[in-house]
Amino acid sequence: MARVKLLAYTGSDFHGPQQIRLLRIYLGLTTFLYTYGVVFSVLRVRKDLLYGNPTGGILAIVLGVAALAWLAIKPDKPGPATLAAIIATPLVMAFHIAISAELACLIAPMFLAMYLRAFYPPRRAMVLIGFLTLAAVGALAVAPMPKLYIDYLIWVIAIVGAGESFGLVMRALVTSACTDPLTGQLNRAGWEIATRDLLVRRRSSTSTISVVVMDLDGFKQINDTLGHLAGDEHLASHARRWRELLPADAVLARLGGDEFAVCIPDRTEAAASAAERFVAEVGRHTPDTSVGMASQRGDTADVATLYAQADARLYAAKGRNRRKTDR
């Protein structure tokens, strides 16, 4: 379940800075190339070439600029920009009059298919790649030039194959880099990415961001008396239970050893916040857990500061517990 959650973080539910940056780079480069092609066609620099209709290139430039502007305004909602990227290249291809130009343009859908397969949930990625493939094949069909039947097969294999090979590898690398292999939850790298994205989406004076830091009491004793396998299962079972207790949009990560952290956004005005309810449930379901919590308004929240405050309160609570035990 946690691995599915991570894929959601790196997919449609988690549009992190790296993903948006890649989309911006793709749009920027393709829009530049379309602009170069249109200028080259309009000015007719070389008299020995036959130039195609630049209409497709002009439309693609408009889409690219609009998509980049959209990402500048709403970086947390890349859907429209992604759709523009899917449509732009087929528009250019539909007006080409040479197969060499079509093959050059085919590179762009291949890279886009890799991006979609890497950063979107599998089912949605396949739908988007299917739409991209159909658009590219349709553009090839209407392009005013002679073509062979095998050209359509080449288009399908190139786009789908790029997504399913390199895109899948990229997805696996992102997942493994951001996942704790023992618990299946996010690791420290995943925590940094996911909390940064959460702040982007929930940066508002009407929201509250809370960080809860947790560690397990007596964990070393479990390892020493029952063995490390028992200790590993103890950690994993607690992580699974905490994930079940958390809201769907909360971030849970194992930061090292028996130390975990949670980041919880909250928009409600209830008597008890989602973070307070979670802390109460932790005490009820996993009473061997020490907890520290800190909260700030969403428009001023800083996760590093909140983590430091929560961590200090955690160790203050552990100190009080030790003093009670020694009496």
Side-chain angles (χ1 to χ4, degrees):
M1 176 178 177
R3 187 165 292 270
V4 173
K5 181 66 178 176
L6 172 68
L7 295 182
Y9 285 141
T10 57
S12 63
D13 296 330
F14 179 61
H15 304 295
Q18 289 79 5
Q19 179 186 353
I20 302 305
R21 184 167 180 265
L22 284 175
L23 184 56
R24 284 196 180 108
I25 291 172
Y26 174 87
L27 287 166
L29 289 176
T30 52
T31 302
F32 169 78
L33 291 174
Y34 301 147
T35 303
Y36 174 81
V38 168
V39 171
F40 193 83
S41 298
V42 171
L43 295 182
R44 298 181 179 273
V45 177
R46 291 183 56 178
K47 305 301 182 183
D48 58 329
L49 296 178
L50 186 62
Y51 293 93
N53 189 330
T55 301
I58 294 170
L59 293 174
I61 294 167
V62 172
L63 280 175
V65 171
L68 288 168
W70 175 269
L71 289 177
I73 299 170
K74 293 185 178 292
D76 58 323
K77 297 184 183 298
T82 303
L83 183 61
I86 291 173
I87 296 172
T89 301
L91 280 175
V92 178
M93 296 169 72
F95 290 89
H96 278 160
I97 58 174
I99 192 64
S100 58
E102 294 285 69
L103 288 170
C105 271
L106 182 59
I107 297 172
M110 291 171 64
F111 274 106
L112 187 57
M114 297 180 207
Y115 167 84
L116 295 172
R117 189 67 177 90
F119 291 104
Y120 279 80
R123 186 175 298 178
R124 183 173 298 181
M126 291 309 299
V127 171
L128 293 173
I129 292 172
F131 179 68
L132 172 65
T133 305
L134 288 175
V137 169
L140 177 65
V142 302
M145 66 180 183
K147 71 274 296 185
L148 302 173
Y149 288 116
I150 196 173
D151 292 335
Y152 299 105
L153 181 61
I154 291 172
W155 256 235
V156 173
I157 292 175
I159 297 172
V160 176
E164 285 303 297
S165 55
F166 297 104
L168 198 57
V169 169
M170 188 187 303
R171 184 179 183 83
L173 289 173
V174 171
T175 300
S176 62
C178 296
T179 308
D180 170 52
L182 175 60
T183 64
Q185 302 299 330
L186 298 177
N187 59 16
R188 187 174 291 274
W191 166 263
E192 296 291 339
I193 296 172
T195 54
R196 191 184 307 123
D197 176 70
L198 187 147
L199 284 185
V200 170
R201 292 185 287 113
R202 294 301 185 93
R203 191 166 290 283
S204 166
S205 60
T206 61
S207 66
T208 300
I209 303 295
S210 299
V211 170
V212 180
V213 179
M214 305 173 290
D215 73 6
L216 304 183
D217 301 330
F219 179 66
K220 184 177 185 300
Q221 185 178 0
I222 294 174
N223 278 335
D224 292 343
T225 58
L226 300 178
H228 289 283
L229 287 178
D232 290 348
E233 176 54 34
H234 190 65
L235 280 176
S237 64
H238 276 57
R240 287 193 298 268
R241 189 61 181 141
W242 294 332
R243 183 70 262 174
E244 292 170 358
L245 297 173
L246 283 167
D249 55 351
V251 176
L252 169 63
R254 181 190 179 202
L255 301 185
D258 62 340
E259 183 182 358
F260 291 79
V262 175
C263 188
I264 306 175
D266 197 1
R267 289 186 179 276
T268 65
E269 301 295 333
S273 68
E276 290 169 336
R277 293 194 296 271
F278 171 71
V279 169
E281 289 295 300
V282 167
R284 188 160 69 91
H285 292 277
T286 55
D288 60 338
T289 306
S290 292
V291 178
M293 186 181 83
S295 302
Q296 284 183 345
R297 263 182 17 182
D299 58 342
T300 59
D302 177 75
V303 171
T305 301
L306 286 172
Y307 176 83
Q309 294 172 354
D311 193 50
R313 291 167 187 170
L314 165 70
Y315 281 96
K318 289 179 75 71
R320 288 193 297 270
N321 291 339
R322 288 195 197 98
R323 288 193 293 272
K324 289 178 183 178
T325 303
D326 293 340
R327 288 174 186 172

